[in-house]
Short mmCIF file of all heavy atoms in Angstrom, two decimals:
data_model
loop_
_atom_site.label_atom_id
_atom_site.label_comp_id
_atom_site.label_asym_id
_atom_site.label_seq_id
_atom_site.Cartn_x
_atom_site.Cartn_y
_atom_site.Cartn_z
N LEU A 46 29.52 -37.04 3.57
CA LEU A 46 30.01 -35.83 2.89
C LEU A 46 29.11 -34.65 3.17
O LEU A 46 27.88 -34.76 3.10
CB LEU A 46 30.14 -36.11 1.39
CG LEU A 46 30.71 -34.93 0.53
CD1 LEU A 46 32.13 -34.59 0.94
CD2 LEU A 46 30.64 -35.28 -0.94
N PHE A 47 29.69 -33.49 3.48
CA PHE A 47 28.91 -32.27 3.76
C PHE A 47 28.02 -31.92 2.59
O PHE A 47 28.29 -32.32 1.43
CB PHE A 47 29.83 -31.11 4.08
CG PHE A 47 30.39 -30.40 2.90
CD1 PHE A 47 29.87 -29.19 2.44
CD2 PHE A 47 31.48 -30.92 2.20
CE1 PHE A 47 30.38 -28.54 1.33
CE2 PHE A 47 32.01 -30.29 1.09
CZ PHE A 47 31.46 -29.10 0.66
N ILE A 48 26.99 -31.17 2.83
CA ILE A 48 26.09 -30.66 1.80
C ILE A 48 25.96 -29.15 1.99
O ILE A 48 25.82 -28.65 3.12
CB ILE A 48 24.67 -31.27 1.94
CG1 ILE A 48 24.66 -32.74 1.46
CG2 ILE A 48 23.66 -30.44 1.14
CD1 ILE A 48 24.42 -32.96 -0.02
N ARG A 49 26.03 -28.42 0.86
CA ARG A 49 25.75 -27.01 0.92
C ARG A 49 24.92 -26.66 -0.32
O ARG A 49 25.40 -26.68 -1.46
CB ARG A 49 27.07 -26.22 0.91
CG ARG A 49 26.93 -24.78 1.40
CD ARG A 49 26.31 -23.87 0.34
NE ARG A 49 26.24 -22.48 0.84
CZ ARG A 49 25.10 -21.91 1.21
NH1 ARG A 49 23.97 -22.56 1.19
NH2 ARG A 49 25.07 -20.64 1.61
N ASN A 50 23.65 -26.42 -0.07
CA ASN A 50 22.71 -26.02 -1.14
C ASN A 50 22.32 -24.60 -0.92
O ASN A 50 21.75 -24.26 0.14
CB ASN A 50 21.47 -26.91 -1.15
CG ASN A 50 21.74 -28.31 -1.67
OD1 ASN A 50 22.67 -28.54 -2.40
ND2 ASN A 50 20.88 -29.23 -1.31
N ASN A 51 22.48 -23.75 -1.91
CA ASN A 51 21.92 -22.39 -1.90
C ASN A 51 20.45 -22.45 -2.24
O ASN A 51 19.66 -21.68 -1.72
CB ASN A 51 22.65 -21.51 -2.91
CG ASN A 51 24.02 -21.12 -2.43
OD1 ASN A 51 24.16 -20.11 -1.72
ND2 ASN A 51 25.02 -21.89 -2.76
N GLN A 52 20.14 -23.32 -3.14
CA GLN A 52 18.77 -23.47 -3.63
C GLN A 52 18.50 -24.97 -3.72
O GLN A 52 19.39 -25.78 -3.55
CB GLN A 52 18.63 -22.85 -5.00
CG GLN A 52 19.03 -21.39 -5.01
CD GLN A 52 18.99 -20.72 -6.34
OE1 GLN A 52 19.10 -19.51 -6.43
NE2 GLN A 52 18.80 -21.49 -7.41
N LEU A 99 36.93 -31.35 -1.77
CA LEU A 99 35.77 -30.52 -2.06
C LEU A 99 35.52 -29.75 -0.76
O LEU A 99 35.24 -30.33 0.26
CB LEU A 99 34.58 -31.40 -2.38
CG LEU A 99 33.29 -30.64 -2.74
CD1 LEU A 99 33.39 -29.94 -4.08
CD2 LEU A 99 32.10 -31.59 -2.78
N GLN A 100 35.74 -28.43 -0.83
CA GLN A 100 35.62 -27.62 0.38
C GLN A 100 34.79 -26.38 0.12
O GLN A 100 35.06 -25.58 -0.81
CB GLN A 100 37.02 -27.19 0.87
CG GLN A 100 36.94 -26.39 2.14
CD GLN A 100 38.21 -25.63 2.50
OE1 GLN A 100 38.42 -25.33 3.67
NE2 GLN A 100 39.06 -25.34 1.56
N CYS A 101 33.78 -26.16 0.99
CA CYS A 101 33.03 -24.93 0.89
C CYS A 101 33.94 -23.73 1.18
O CYS A 101 34.79 -23.80 2.06
CB CYS A 101 31.88 -24.95 1.92
SG CYS A 101 30.83 -23.51 1.89
N SER A 102 33.75 -22.68 0.41
CA SER A 102 34.59 -21.47 0.67
C SER A 102 34.27 -20.86 2.01
O SER A 102 35.02 -20.06 2.56
CB SER A 102 34.45 -20.47 -0.46
OG SER A 102 33.12 -20.07 -0.59
N GLY A 103 33.10 -21.24 2.59
CA GLY A 103 32.73 -20.74 3.93
C GLY A 103 33.25 -21.65 5.04
O GLY A 103 33.03 -21.37 6.22
N ASN A 156 25.64 -22.97 -15.19
CA ASN A 156 24.44 -22.77 -14.43
C ASN A 156 23.89 -24.09 -13.90
O ASN A 156 23.96 -25.11 -14.58
CB ASN A 156 23.38 -22.09 -15.30
CG ASN A 156 22.10 -21.81 -14.54
OD1 ASN A 156 22.04 -20.95 -13.71
ND2 ASN A 156 21.06 -22.60 -14.82
N GLY A 157 23.34 -24.05 -12.70
CA GLY A 157 22.70 -25.25 -12.11
C GLY A 157 21.18 -25.17 -12.25
O GLY A 157 20.61 -24.07 -12.13
N LYS A 158 20.59 -26.31 -12.47
CA LYS A 158 19.13 -26.39 -12.67
C LYS A 158 18.42 -26.46 -11.32
O LYS A 158 17.60 -27.32 -11.12
CB LYS A 158 18.79 -27.59 -13.50
CG LYS A 158 17.39 -27.72 -14.10
CD LYS A 158 17.22 -29.15 -14.62
CE LYS A 158 15.83 -29.49 -15.05
NZ LYS A 158 15.55 -29.08 -16.41
N ASP A 159 18.77 -25.59 -10.38
CA ASP A 159 18.04 -25.58 -9.10
C ASP A 159 16.63 -25.08 -9.38
O ASP A 159 16.30 -24.81 -10.51
CB ASP A 159 18.74 -24.67 -8.10
CG ASP A 159 20.26 -24.86 -8.10
OD1 ASP A 159 20.88 -24.88 -9.17
OD2 ASP A 159 20.84 -24.96 -7.02
N PHE A 169 21.48 -20.08 -9.99
CA PHE A 169 22.81 -20.29 -9.39
C PHE A 169 23.78 -20.51 -10.51
O PHE A 169 23.70 -21.52 -11.23
CB PHE A 169 22.79 -21.46 -8.43
CG PHE A 169 24.11 -21.64 -7.70
CD1 PHE A 169 24.31 -21.05 -6.48
CD2 PHE A 169 25.14 -22.37 -8.27
CE1 PHE A 169 25.52 -21.19 -5.83
CE2 PHE A 169 26.36 -22.51 -7.63
CZ PHE A 169 26.55 -21.91 -6.39
N ALA A 196 21.98 -35.47 -4.63
CA ALA A 196 22.29 -34.41 -3.67
C ALA A 196 23.65 -33.75 -3.95
O ALA A 196 23.88 -32.62 -3.55
CB ALA A 196 22.24 -34.95 -2.25
N HIS A 197 24.53 -34.48 -4.60
CA HIS A 197 25.85 -33.92 -4.90
C HIS A 197 25.98 -33.48 -6.34
O HIS A 197 27.10 -33.35 -6.82
CB HIS A 197 26.94 -34.91 -4.46
CG HIS A 197 27.02 -35.06 -2.97
ND1 HIS A 197 27.46 -34.07 -2.13
CD2 HIS A 197 26.64 -36.09 -2.16
CE1 HIS A 197 27.39 -34.46 -0.87
NE2 HIS A 197 26.88 -35.71 -0.84
N GLY A 198 24.85 -33.28 -7.00
CA GLY A 198 24.90 -32.63 -8.30
C GLY A 198 24.58 -33.55 -9.47
O GLY A 198 24.70 -33.13 -10.61
N ARG A 202 27.70 -32.82 -12.90
CA ARG A 202 28.26 -31.75 -12.12
C ARG A 202 29.52 -31.21 -12.75
O ARG A 202 30.36 -31.99 -13.22
CB ARG A 202 28.59 -32.24 -10.70
CG ARG A 202 29.18 -31.17 -9.81
CD ARG A 202 29.32 -31.66 -8.36
NE ARG A 202 29.51 -30.53 -7.49
CZ ARG A 202 29.42 -30.58 -6.16
NH1 ARG A 202 29.11 -31.72 -5.58
NH2 ARG A 202 29.62 -29.48 -5.44
N TYR A 209 37.43 -23.73 -4.90
CA TYR A 209 36.49 -23.87 -3.79
C TYR A 209 35.19 -24.53 -4.24
O TYR A 209 34.80 -24.44 -5.39
CB TYR A 209 36.19 -22.48 -3.17
CG TYR A 209 37.29 -22.03 -2.22
CD1 TYR A 209 38.21 -21.06 -2.59
CD2 TYR A 209 37.41 -22.64 -0.93
CE1 TYR A 209 39.23 -20.68 -1.71
CE2 TYR A 209 38.39 -22.24 -0.08
CZ TYR A 209 39.31 -21.25 -0.44
OH TYR A 209 40.30 -20.86 0.41
N GLY A 210 34.52 -25.15 -3.29
CA GLY A 210 33.32 -25.93 -3.55
C GLY A 210 32.28 -25.25 -4.44
O GLY A 210 31.72 -25.87 -5.33
N THR A 211 32.07 -23.97 -4.16
CA THR A 211 30.98 -23.26 -4.87
C THR A 211 31.17 -23.27 -6.39
O THR A 211 30.17 -23.23 -7.12
CB THR A 211 30.83 -21.83 -4.33
OG1 THR A 211 29.60 -21.32 -4.77
CG2 THR A 211 31.98 -20.94 -4.72
N MET A 212 32.40 -23.32 -6.86
CA MET A 212 32.65 -23.32 -8.31
C MET A 212 32.31 -24.65 -8.95
O MET A 212 32.30 -24.79 -10.18
CB MET A 212 34.13 -22.91 -8.59
CG MET A 212 34.46 -21.55 -8.09
SD MET A 212 33.53 -20.24 -8.98
CE MET A 212 33.49 -18.94 -7.74
N ASN A 213 32.08 -25.67 -8.15
CA ASN A 213 31.71 -27.02 -8.63
C ASN A 213 30.20 -27.10 -8.75
O ASN A 213 29.54 -27.66 -7.91
CB ASN A 213 32.30 -28.07 -7.69
CG ASN A 213 33.81 -28.03 -7.60
OD1 ASN A 213 34.48 -28.80 -8.27
ND2 ASN A 213 34.35 -27.11 -6.82
N VAL A 214 29.70 -26.49 -9.81
CA VAL A 214 28.24 -26.31 -9.97
C VAL A 214 27.55 -27.63 -10.18
O VAL A 214 27.92 -28.45 -11.05
CB VAL A 214 27.98 -25.34 -11.15
CG1 VAL A 214 26.46 -25.21 -11.36
CG2 VAL A 214 28.59 -23.99 -10.86
N LYS A 215 26.53 -27.84 -9.37
CA LYS A 215 25.72 -29.08 -9.43
C LYS A 215 24.62 -28.95 -10.46
O LYS A 215 24.20 -27.82 -10.84
CB LYS A 215 25.08 -29.35 -8.06
CG LYS A 215 26.12 -29.40 -6.93
CD LYS A 215 25.53 -29.99 -5.64
CE LYS A 215 25.29 -28.98 -4.58
NZ LYS A 215 24.99 -29.61 -3.24
N TRP A 216 24.10 -30.08 -10.93
CA TRP A 216 22.92 -30.09 -11.82
C TRP A 216 23.08 -29.20 -13.04
O TRP A 216 22.20 -28.38 -13.36
CB TRP A 216 21.66 -29.73 -11.02
CG TRP A 216 21.56 -30.38 -9.68
CD1 TRP A 216 21.56 -31.72 -9.45
CD2 TRP A 216 21.51 -29.76 -8.39
NE1 TRP A 216 21.49 -31.99 -8.12
CE2 TRP A 216 21.47 -30.80 -7.42
CE3 TRP A 216 21.50 -28.45 -7.94
CZ2 TRP A 216 21.41 -30.57 -6.06
CZ3 TRP A 216 21.44 -28.19 -6.55
CH2 TRP A 216 21.40 -29.24 -5.66
N TYR A 236 30.29 -14.92 -2.76
CA TYR A 236 31.44 -15.79 -3.13
C TYR A 236 32.65 -15.00 -3.71
O TYR A 236 33.29 -15.41 -4.66
CB TYR A 236 30.97 -16.89 -4.09
CG TYR A 236 30.00 -17.83 -3.41
CD1 TYR A 236 28.65 -17.83 -3.72
CD2 TYR A 236 30.43 -18.68 -2.41
CE1 TYR A 236 27.76 -18.67 -3.05
CE2 TYR A 236 29.58 -19.52 -1.73
CZ TYR A 236 28.23 -19.50 -2.08
OH TYR A 236 27.34 -20.32 -1.41
N ASN A 259 35.87 -16.78 -5.30
CA ASN A 259 36.43 -17.90 -4.55
C ASN A 259 36.87 -18.99 -5.52
O ASN A 259 36.20 -20.01 -5.67
CB ASN A 259 35.38 -18.50 -3.59
CG ASN A 259 34.94 -17.54 -2.51
OD1 ASN A 259 33.81 -17.62 -2.01
ND2 ASN A 259 35.80 -16.59 -2.12
N1 MSS B 401 25.52 -25.90 -7.35
C1 MSS B 401 24.23 -25.54 -7.44
N2 MSS B 401 23.58 -25.77 -8.60
N3 MSS B 401 23.54 -24.98 -6.39
C2 MSS B 401 24.19 -24.69 -5.21
O1 MSS B 401 23.55 -24.18 -4.31
N4 MSS B 401 26.29 -24.78 -3.96
C3 MSS B 401 27.69 -24.72 -4.14
C4 MSS B 401 28.27 -25.88 -4.93
N5 MSS B 401 27.50 -26.08 -6.14
C5 MSS B 401 25.56 -25.05 -5.09
C6 MSS B 401 26.21 -25.68 -6.20
C7 MSS B 401 28.48 -24.66 -2.84
S1 MSS B 401 28.58 -23.10 -2.08
C8 MSS B 401 29.24 -25.71 -2.37
S2 MSS B 401 30.29 -25.50 -1.05
C9 MSS B 401 29.19 -27.01 -3.05
O2 MSS B 401 28.27 -27.05 -4.15
C10 MSS B 401 28.83 -28.07 -2.05
O3 MSS B 401 28.83 -29.32 -2.64
P1 MSS B 401 28.06 -30.55 -1.97
O4 MSS B 401 28.12 -31.62 -2.98
O5 MSS B 401 28.96 -31.01 -0.78
O6 MSS B 401 26.77 -30.14 -1.44
MO1 MSS B 401 30.33 -23.27 -0.59
O7 MSS B 401 31.81 -22.70 -1.42
#
Side-chain angles (χ1 to χ4, degrees):
L46 181 62
F47 82 100
I48 286 273
R49 199 282 181 254
N50 286 337
N51 285 272
Q52 304 178 170
L99 182 69
Q100 182 194 203
C101 181
S102 58
N156 181 73
K158 193 193 172 84
D159 315 48
F169 184 91
H197 291 290
R202 180 172 195 167
Y209 279 105
T211 194
M212 298 296 154
N213 298 262
V214 176
K215 306 194 253 192
W216 315 302
Y236 295 108
N259 296 152

